[in-house]
């Protein structure tokens, strides 16, 4: 039997299938810390890839205020994330977290191929 390791309130252990209240299998397996780590990596990776093209476009459009406008964009992004997090959290409680994680990562990574198609 594999050994369980507990860090804080997070348990790292082999997967076990969770059963719903009526005894049926949920079909997705148990949640894991690795799911969250993959999502966090994809979010930061996507924002890292988008920063350089955004700064280049801002430098061409506003050469004297490039970093000011980049700061404003990042500030608006942070504010919108702060305001929308409770709504997405409440909806994910109803419809499931994996669906909303998949949607948020998809829409965060979506501009990368779109920028390669058309930089403007």
């Amino acid at each position: 039997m594999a050994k369980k390791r507990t860090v804080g309130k997070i348990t790292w252990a082999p997967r076990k299938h969770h059963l719903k209240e009526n005894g049926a299998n949920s079909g997705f397996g148990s949640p894991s810390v690795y799911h969250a780590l993959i999502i966090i990596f994809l979010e930061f990776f996507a924002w890292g890839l988008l920063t350089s093209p955004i700064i280049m476009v801002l430098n061409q459009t506003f050469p004297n205020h490039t970093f000011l406008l980049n700061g404003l964009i990042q500030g608006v992004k942070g504010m919108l994330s702060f305001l929308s997090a409770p709504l997405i959290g409440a909806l994910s409680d109803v419809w499931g977290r994996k669906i909303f994680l998949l949607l948020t990562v998809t829409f965060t990574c979506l501009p990368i191929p779109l920028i390669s198609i058309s930089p403007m």
Side-chain angles (χ1 to χ4, degrees):
M1 183 168 170
K3 185 179 175 185
K4 259 201 246 187
R5 186 171 54 133
T6 303
V7 179
K9 292 184 179 184
I10 300 171
T11 302
W12 300 58
R15 291 179 160 258
K16 294 179 185 175
H17 292 289
H18 285 276
L19 299 177
K20 291 184 178 179
E21 292 176 9
N22 62 3
N25 192 350
S26 66
F28 287 109
S30 65
S32 170
V33 171
Y34 299 114
H35 292 126
L37 291 176
I38 291 169
I39 298 299
I40 291 168
F41 171 76
L42 287 173
E43 292 281 344
F44 282 105
F45 184 70
W47 276 109
L49 286 177
L50 289 174
T51 301
S52 177
I54 287 174
I55 288 179
M56 288 184 344
V57 169
L58 287 175
N59 194 21
Q60 292 172 357
T61 310
F62 306 102
N64 295 329
H65 303 291
T66 302
F67 291 108
L68 173 66
L69 288 172
N70 186 44
L72 287 173
I73 290 170
Q74 296 296 326
V76 168
K77 174 204 169 280
M79 187 62 67
L80 291 175
S81 296
F82 177 75
L83 293 174
S84 66
L87 175 65
I88 291 175
L91 290 174
S92 70
D93 287 341
V94 175
W95 290 335
R97 285 176 174 72
K98 288 185 182 180
I99 294 168
F100 280 93
L101 284 174
L102 183 64
L103 283 174
T104 56
V105 168
T106 301
F107 284 111
T108 300
C109 297
L110 191 64
I112 296 169
L114 294 178
I115 284 178
S116 67
I117 293 170
S118 174
M120 291 305 284

